[in-house]
Amino acid sequence: MSDPVLELIQKNNLKFSVSGRDYLIKCLNPEHDDSNPSFRVDKVTGVAHCFACGFKTNLFKYYGVFTNLVPMKIMALKEKLDALKKFGQELELPQGYTPWTKVFRGISPATLKHFGAFYTNAVEKLQDRIVFPIKDITNKTQVFVGRHTMSSGNPRYVNYPQGVTLPVFPAHLPSGYSSVVIVEGLFDMLNLYDKGCENVVCVFGTNTLQNDIKAKMLPFRAQGITHVFLLFDGDDAGRKAAKIYKPLMEAEGFITEIVDLPDGTDPGELSDEDIASIAEYVTK
Ligand SMILES: [Zn+2]
């Protein structure tokens, strides 16, 4: 991979040393006689700061170099994510769990397997449920979400353990996408994925994403996602939520579009043809 910051330093014949994630060079402030280089330049972004005199700049700006900073910002985000990955606990799968191998509510076994669906009798709260390990951005399981196998089952969903903040799921998309479709429910997400729209995530209801939207969307920015499509349920709550989220997503730097569904339709019920046309639209 090219290294634009280093190239810029070498092109300008600056003496430098490496210090962690920075290059150390002589201060660029003409009023600072910097005998002991204390000017730190971020290796990735070119953001530069002198801790002795307080002078701040960006190396590209300083040398009048026009550059596309987006790839560098993405690299910086990836480094942040790597740092996050060093922390965090993981839940273990219950003993004696059985991987799910049948069609469930029209979702193919391959898709259910892809998202780790299983069945267990070892945890009472998860009995008679199709259970999904919900992984966070660090790829660690934070919570199990179980949907009752009977549509009349009550409650329809349980989270185990309770009280865990649900992440956006999945936290990573298959590579190569620049857009993401956001849906409300787990089975909305599974339905879209199953029928060929793989760049889809669910937010477990419209209230959860507002908390910590920056952190939750960070992995997608790091993946190079630039467009967000809000595909919420075709009801008052879904439409209201889409209107709330559009400016929030835009504030995070995503080009955001609301995909409005007909009244009474939710993405979990969409047919193959509907989803094929959505997939085509959001990847155009
Ligand atoms: Zn200085």
Side-chain angles (χ1 to χ4, degrees):
M1 185 175 278
S2 75
D3 193 341
V5 175
L6 184 59
E7 282 164 21
L8 193 59
I9 285 175
Q10 289 171 335
K11 202 176 129 208
N12 289 283
N13 295 316
L14 305 173
K15 275 191 183 164
F16 72 97
S17 61
V18 175
S19 167
R21 49 172 297 146
D22 300 318
Y23 295 117
L24 274 182
I25 61 174
K26 260 191 168 178
C27 184
L28 295 171
N29 176 3
E31 284 159 27
H32 179 193
D33 181 16
D34 193 12
S35 54
N36 185 17
S38 50
F39 195 64
R40 291 190 165 267
V41 182
D42 188 286
K43 281 180 187 171
V44 175
T45 61
V47 168
H49 183 199
C50 175
F51 286 92
C53 75
F55 183 69
K56 283 181 191 171
T57 187
N58 180 294
L59 215 59
F60 295 101
K61 209 172 113 191
Y62 183 86
Y63 285 109
V65 179
F66 176 79
T67 182
N68 178 7
L69 287 169
V70 171
M72 280 179 269
K73 282 186 179 158
I74 288 172
M75 272 172 68
L77 288 171
K78 281 192 174 145
E79 286 185 1
K80 266 191 211 168
L81 285 177
D82 286 342
L84 275 174
K85 281 178 189 166
K86 291 176 190 142
F87 302 99
Q89 293 278 310
E90 177 166 38
L91 289 177
E92 301 210 355
L93 286 172
Q95 289 198 329
Y97 74 93
T98 314
W100 196 276
T101 54
K102 296 169 289 190
V103 173
F104 183 79
R105 294 186 62 83
I107 311 292
S108 71
T111 291
L112 296 172
K113 184 182 173 200
H114 176 80
F115 290 101
F118 66 89
Y119 186 85
T120 181
N121 279 323
V123 179
E124 199 187 335
K125 287 201 71 175
L126 296 177
Q127 276 176 11
D128 302 318
R129 291 175 181 276
I130 179 169
V131 184
F132 295 84
I134 306 300
K135 297 177 179 208
D136 65 7
I137 55 168
T138 67
N139 211 28
K140 294 190 171 85
T141 301
Q142 295 301 314
V143 60
F144 297 109
V145 170
R147 177 182 169 124
H148 209 287
T149 52
M150 316 275 280
S151 32
S152 57
N154 187 30
R156 190 180 289 174
Y157 287 98
V158 296
N159 302 338
Y160 178 83
Q162 278 183 312
V164 175
T165 306
L166 289 161
V168 173
F169 183 71
H172 299 279
L173 295 176
S175 59
Y177 286 103
S178 59
S179 67
V180 62
V181 180
I182 299 183
V183 295
E184 292 181 32
L186 180 58
F187 274 79
D188 299 333
M189 184 278 287
L190 293 170
N191 191 39
L192 263 75
Y193 186 95
D194 193 50
K195 296 179 173 63
C197 182
E198 293 183 340
N199 51 330
V200 59
V201 298
C202 69
V203 293
F204 299 103
T206 51
N207 295 324
T208 57
L209 183 59
Q210 267 164 290
N211 301 325
D212 225 2
I213 191 167
K214 193 177 279 293
K216 284 179 175 175
M217 294 309 290
L218 182 68
F220 303 105
R221 289 180 57 200
Q223 248 196 279
I225 299 295
T226 54
H227 285 63
V228 165
F229 293 89
L230 299 170
L231 183 68
F232 290 167
D233 293 359
D235 56 25
D236 288 346
R239 293 197 180 106
K240 198 176 151 198
K243 277 194 193 123
I244 292 170
Y245 280 115
K246 188 168 189 276
L248 294 176
M249 288 294 172
E250 285 167 348
E252 295 305 313
F254 296 103
I255 299 163
T256 309
E257 201 172 315
I258 296 172
V259 184
D260 205 16
L261 288 179
D263 260 335
T265 312
D266 79 58
E269 300 160 349
L270 293 174
S271 66
D272 286 36
E273 293 86 40
D274 291 337
I275 292 172
S277 65
I278 288 172
E280 196 190 330
Y281 183 69
V282 301
T283 51
K284 70 179 185 288

